[in-house]
Amino acid sequence: MAEKTSSESYADVEKEVKTEVKPEAPPKPTFPEGGFHAWATVLGAFFIQMCGFGYTTSFGVYQDYYVRVHLKNESSSVISWIGSVNAFVVIAAGLIVGRIYDKGYFYALLWGGSLLVAFSLFMLSLTKPGHFYQVFLSQGLGVGIGIGMIYLPSIAVLSHYFQRRRAFVMTLVATGSAVGAVVHPIMLNNTLDKLGFATATRANAGLVSGLLLISCLLMRTRLPPPPMKASLKASLKKFSRDKAYLCCTAAFLFFIIALYFPIFYLQLDSIKHNLSSNFSFYSLVILNGTQLFGRIAAAFLSTKTTIPNLAIFASFCCSVIIFGMIGLSSVASVVVIAVLYGFSSGIYVAIMAPMVAGLADDFSEIGMRMGISFTMAGVGGLIGTPIDGALLTDNFIWWRPAVFSGVCGLVGCSLYIAMV
């Protein structure tokens, strides 16, 4: 009996030892949902949005100026490649940048990208009239790569501080690009013809460089890199079984093809319809200004309804308004299109990042999921406006690109419905 008791005691001790040596799962991170460093990081991300995506969506000013003055030897389709490549690199860089960010190189991306943007903008001011390749290298590639290095990390780092309020904060930060998309066109339209291309571009480069420096000094990480780093192949295999995520990513591709048509071509469309040049210069400002209100509205609407429902609403409205550009012919029609499209597209752009973040199973997947989805969005931005320019032709047949973009937008809307 004593032997049996000893044997049982030994087994119990052995079981306890095995239990003790079993590794414990790492504790889930906590989120302060505020504080000085949190809101300083939010402000820094806001400035990056102003200088990054806000600059990219202001390319309509350059498109108009290049067609009329600086690169008038090139067609509008060729010139649009500068803006489309810039937009593609900004968004598609997320696939590589997301992996680098997940490995803990946030500050290297932040400072390196900011320096590259500043350098490329000052190089843009040195480009000669009629030299397409100089503008393409500096503005299309240089600025695009630099913004791409800082765009996704500035959004993803907000997840270090916020979980419950993450969607609200991300949509709030996204209003920065709308502010930038108002500031840049006003500044450029009032300086390009008066001061010349070189001086106007240097002044704009100085503004961007100053804001990026402030962002670098404000932004801070809080959590260590995720301990489990899945390979790209393993992540793709897992995400390929997530039907909602696949629909979201495909919707990004199709809808972004449509998204940039009014942003790139509204100002040129107004001028070619013989509207006042002063008014035409501000048509893009009206569009981008109402985008600000759309993004602010998205921040508050995200607390009342779901992000996917907002995506369906915004993408449908944008698609219908793009079809409406076929009838653009007067000041009133430009104002109506600019206001309605600006508000609807503002809602859409603001919810892109939180929509992907909401589909992630855990915190460690956010960077990879954003990188893959935004890469597909970048492909849409790359091919959309050059196709629009080719359909437009040198005779400026405006209904062709409007129909093409409108249909692509409706396909994207249908995919969001499938996602839900």
Side-chain angles (χ1 to χ4, degrees), residues 143-285:
V143 176
I145 293 172
I147 295 175
M149 290 172 66
I150 60 179
Y151 174 69
L152 188 145
S154 70
I155 296 294
V157 75
L158 301 175
S159 300
H160 285 209
Y161 296 94
F162 301 93
Q163 184 181 48
R164 179 174 51 84
R165 305 164 76 180
R166 182 181 296 162
F168 173 78
V169 170
M170 284 185 173
T171 51
L172 189 64
V173 165
T175 61
S177 58
V179 174
V182 171
V183 172
H184 293 301
I186 291 177
M187 183 178 188
L188 291 168
N189 276 323
N190 282 283
T191 55
L192 281 171
D193 290 324
K194 295 178 182 178
L195 302 179
F197 181 78
T199 303
T201 306
R202 289 191 194 105
N204 187 248
L207 172 67
V208 170
S209 301
L211 290 175
L212 289 179
L213 176 60
I214 295 173
S215 296
C216 290
L217 297 175
L218 285 175
M219 301 187 76
R220 292 289 181 272
T221 59
R222 191 182 71 90
L223 299 175
M228 299 297 291
K229 300 183 180 69
S231 66
L232 177 59
K233 183 178 179 180
S235 298
L236 288 173
K237 186 176 180 181
K238 177 185 177 182
F239 299 160
S240 66
R241 295 192 293 268
D242 188 338
K243 295 179 181 178
Y245 178 72
L246 290 177
C247 289
C248 176
T249 303
F252 272 20
L253 170 65
F254 281 97
F255 189 77
I256 296 299
I257 290 175
L259 179 70
Y260 285 107
F261 172 59
I263 295 172
F264 277 26
Y265 284 99
L266 182 62
Q267 182 168 317
L268 181 62
D269 194 355
S270 302
I271 290 175
K272 291 301 180 181
H273 278 88
N274 299 317
L275 302 183
S276 165
S277 59
N278 287 332
F279 168 77
S280 298
F281 287 160
Y282 285 97
S283 61
L284 194 59
V285 175

